[in-house]
Amino acid sequence: MNAATPSSACLALVKRFEGFRAEPLALGDGRWLLGHGHVSNAAPAQLIGETEAEFLLKEDLEEVCQVLRGAVPNGLTQNQFDALASFGFSIGVEALERSDVLALVSEGRIGEAAAALETWRVSGASGSLAAVLVRRREAEKAMLLADETIAPAASVLLRPTREAPAEPGAPTPLPPPQPQKSDVLGLAALGVLGLLLIAMGVTGADDDNGVAYLVFAAPGAVGVAMSVYYLLKKTVEAV
């Protein structure tokens, strides 16, 4: 089922990490922070209650929801929509629109989008990892992947390695070329044929004054040498 509005689970997640502020807090740019992460241009005349704070939160989330509806024409599940709504509220609408996370989701690459979520954990104010952002991204990632069907894989067959952080804008490295099974079998067959020719040349060398050696053994030696060379080359390229 495609979702178009945040659920109560989304509201609960945002409230958990935004906290609640009944008394407005003056920000450095002249605006005021109150409720569940709501920013007001004017100072409120009185303290804010939970009901009004939730109303303002829903209004603030609507701008994020509009971006999600436009960016993902095929729609999102409720869990996916909720996770991205929380994420968009956290980083801001403009950042969401140009984020790698939204671009990957719009292409249906949910697993990669979930991994990209983890890169949005650095505080813009301090430039360092913020514990609350780490925990928030973990919660959003779990929600984003909640509807994904994951096939089990034994660790001995799918042993993970640490992913190296990519430089901004760097292209994704291509995996090293792997030798094709048919190529390996063909080269092995060439080597076996070469050995047979050498054996035939050596066996008949005494009977015809070396003619058989030249006819069979020499091409056989070339075949063996080519087989060994190209098999070693493919092995080195695959490492």
Side-chain angles (χ1 to χ4, degrees):
M1 181 179 67
N2 293 338
T5 57
S7 70
S8 58
C10 175
L11 296 177
L13 190 153
V14 176
K15 288 179 182 180
R16 173 188 170 194
F17 288 103
E18 293 291 334
F20 172 70
R21 187 176 297 277
E23 183 176 353
L25 173 68
L27 300 176
D29 57 3
R31 298 182 299 169
W32 297 82
L33 172 66
L34 67 155
H36 302 295
H38 177 74
V39 177
S40 174
N41 291 321
Q46 58 187 15
L47 300 182
I48 189 173
E50 283 280 2
T51 301
E52 186 180 357
E54 181 169 321
F55 175 80
L56 292 174
L57 174 59
K58 290 179 179 178
E59 282 195 334
D60 292 339
L61 279 170
E62 178 55 29
E63 189 176 3
V64 176
C65 294
Q66 290 178 7
V67 173
L68 296 179
R69 296 183 199 114
V72 191
N74 295 328
L76 297 163
T77 68
Q78 188 64 63
N79 281 319
Q80 292 168 348
F81 193 95
D82 288 347
L84 294 170
S86 172
F87 173 67
F89 187 87
S90 173
I91 69 173
V93 172
E94 292 183 0
L96 174 66
E97 290 178 320
R98 62 175 185 269
S99 71
D100 50 352
V101 174
L102 186 59
L104 290 166
V105 168
S106 66
E107 296 174 5
R109 299 157 66 183
I110 302 299
E112 294 174 67
L117 267 174
E118 296 184 340
T119 65
W120 292 82
R121 303 176 300 180
V122 176
S123 166
S126 65
S128 59
L129 283 177
V132 65
L133 293 180
V134 172
R135 296 293 299 274
R136 185 166 183 167
R137 295 297 91 86
E138 288 175 351
E140 291 163 350
K141 180 179 178 180
M143 186 175 282
L144 184 63
L145 293 174
D147 300 319
E148 295 293 296
T149 301
I150 307 297
S155 294
V156 70
L157 300 178
L158 191 63
R159 189 73 71 191
T161 59
R162 184 177 183 274
E163 183 178 351
E167 293 293 331
T172 302
L174 297 175
Q178 299 295 323
Q180 299 295 318
K181 184 177 180 180
S182 58
D183 295 341
V184 174
L185 291 176
L187 291 171
L190 176 62
V192 172
L193 178 60
L195 291 174
L196 290 174
L197 290 174
I198 292 174
M200 293 173 61
V202 172
T203 301
D206 295 335
D207 299 333
D208 50 17
N209 298 321
V211 174
Y213 183 81
L214 294 175
V215 173
F216 295 108
V222 173
V224 171
M226 291 178 61
S227 173
V228 172
Y229 172 77
Y230 284 108
L231 281 173
L232 289 175
K233 182 178 179 181
K234 286 183 175 293
T235 301
V236 172
E237 290 175 348
V239 174

